[in-house]
Amino acid sequence: MRYVVLLLTSLICFFLNSAVLPQAAIFGIQMDIMLAAMVCMVMLERTMTPVFYMTGCAVIMDCLFATAIGYYSLPYLLIGLLLYLVMWKWGSGNVKWYAALVLGGGAWLIKEILSALFSVLLGVSLDLGRTFLTHSLPGILLAALLTSLLYLLFARLYRYNFLRPLSARQ
């Protein structure tokens, strides 16, 4: 049941990321609900499973929208791995909701930096300073708020025993 819920969550986030949120940009910033959901699930589960599900959806986004395979999926995989290592170092204590603000904003910033780096490597000309000031920095606040709201939602969902990993069940 856990894997079905993870699959449905990742597919819903994929649909929102690829079809709905590009049409509903806030101040010209397209929110990344897949990244925010992945951050929340890794914070709550402390496993790599949500990373693999969201990276799988990002591979589909690569096939549909990107000029090169890995443009969307590599940032998700690298951020998920980094977040997993941070949570592993954090220990087994509970994570407060305000940690989602910091981790969500940091994940957004890393994703923006990696996306800009990949764009430059693919030969796309862009003004890095302008992009960073007009999209990346304001997006940190919106990503942090989205991640903290999703964290509160996922914290309620993860109270159910079927959604937790086997190692964390009581």
Side-chain angles (χ1 to χ4, degrees):
M1 185 68 179
R2 173 177 180 260
Y3 296 113
V4 172
V5 172
L6 285 173
L7 180 66
L8 287 175
T9 303
S10 60
L11 288 176
I12 290 169
C13 290
F14 165 73
F15 174 74
L16 289 173
N17 242 26
S18 59
V20 176
L21 291 177
Q23 306 302 324
I26 301 170
F27 302 117
I29 300 163
Q30 178 184 337
M31 295 311 306
D32 192 348
I33 199 163
M34 277 177 48
L35 182 69
M38 183 183 74
V39 167
C40 294
M41 289 190 286
V42 170
M43 286 174 64
L44 289 164
E45 279 192 21
R46 294 190 169 118
T47 65
M48 287 290 289
T49 307
V51 176
F52 297 138
Y53 276 88
M54 293 300 178
T55 302
C57 286
V59 168
I60 297 171
M61 286 175 61
D62 283 337
C63 294
L64 293 175
F65 308 119
T67 57
I69 298 294
Y71 183 78
Y72 291 109
S73 57
L74 279 176
Y76 281 98
L77 188 61
L78 294 174
I79 291 168
L81 179 63
L82 180 66
L83 185 64
Y84 172 74
L85 292 174
V86 165
M87 295 312 297
W88 180 65
K89 281 295 218 182
W90 192 297
S92 62
N94 283 340
V95 179
K96 301 295 183 194
W97 68 269
Y98 48 83
L101 288 168
V102 175
L103 294 175
W108 169 267
L109 182 62
I110 293 170
K111 185 194 77 105
E112 288 291 312
I113 290 170
L114 288 173
S115 296
L117 176 68
F118 292 155
S119 296
V120 169
L121 290 175
L122 288 172
V124 176
S125 62
L126 61 114
D127 185 8
L128 290 175
R130 181 176 170 271
T131 302
F132 188 72
L133 288 175
T134 59
H135 294 292
S136 299
L137 288 180
I140 292 173
L141 178 63
L142 293 174
L145 290 174
L146 177 66
T147 306
S148 63
L149 290 174
L150 280 178
Y151 181 79
L152 294 174
L153 173 73
F154 279 114
R156 287 187 165 269
L157 287 176
Y158 273 88
R159 288 182 186 164
Y160 297 110
N161 209 21
F162 71 89
L163 200 52
R164 289 191 215 130
L166 286 176
S167 61
R169 292 188 184 171
Q170 298 174 6

